Amino acid sequence: MEATVDHLSAAYDDFMAAAAAVVEARAQSGGEKKTAATDAALEAFKQRWELFRVACDHAEELVESIRQRIGSECLVDEATGSASAGSVAAPGIRPISAVRLEQMSKAVRWLVIELQHGASAQGAGGSGGAATPNAGAGGQHPEEGGQ
């Protein structure tokens, strides 16, 4: 993460230096709007702008990845009951194992993929679950009890 921040900071510094170079080239041109120096400075500015945008995109991707990981960890903590002792569990909802949560998550992902590809409409009369390897064969897991 520190490397990403350093890269973003360096890209910003380069971008600001290129902006200053454009202003300086315009000032030195004596009022002419188009000179070789201003064109070169503007081209460098454009390149630095693109590099800065790429650095911002990378930083945004990192932040989003970390946000998703934290959200997933919180979900697992809540589901498995390993959240902080001060939190109050919802009444009537028992914790499940992390393994079972992962199995259910995979099953949901497979169902979403099936729905996106239209396979669920074709297989509605068939086996109806061939693509859900971890969904189980209708048997209940110990964590589910008599639900």
Side-chain angles (χ1 to χ4, degrees), residues 107-131:
V108 168
R109 274 185 254 142
W110 278 106
L111 289 171
V112 168
I113 290 169
E114 282 182 5
L115 289 172
Q116 288 173 340
H117 291 102
S120 63
Q122 296 171 354
S127 64

Side-chain angles (χ1 to χ4, degrees), residues 60-79:
E60 185 176 4
E61 289 170 6
L62 176 67
V63 168
E64 181 62 21
S65 170
I66 292 170
R67 186 189 68 77
Q68 287 178 356
R69 186 173 68 205
I70 290 170
S72 296
E73 289 172 2
C74 290
L75 176 64
V76 169
D77 287 348
E78 277 295 318

Side-chain angles (χ1 to χ4, degrees), residues 33-88:
K33 290 190 175 196
K34 200 145 173 78
T35 66
T38 56
D39 286 347
L42 285 170
E43 184 61 33
F45 175 77
K46 181 181 173 186
Q47 290 173 355
R48 296 298 185 247
W49 166 246
E50 290 300 321
L51 291 173
F52 178 62
R53 286 183 51 199
V54 168
C56 288
D57 290 344
H58 284 263
E60 185 176 4
E61 289 170 6
L62 176 67
V63 168
E64 181 62 21
S65 170
I66 292 170
R67 186 189 68 77
Q68 287 178 356
R69 186 173 68 205
I70 290 170
S72 296
E73 289 172 2
C74 290
L75 176 64
V76 169
D77 287 348
E78 277 295 318
T80 60
S82 60
S84 63
S87 66
V88 178

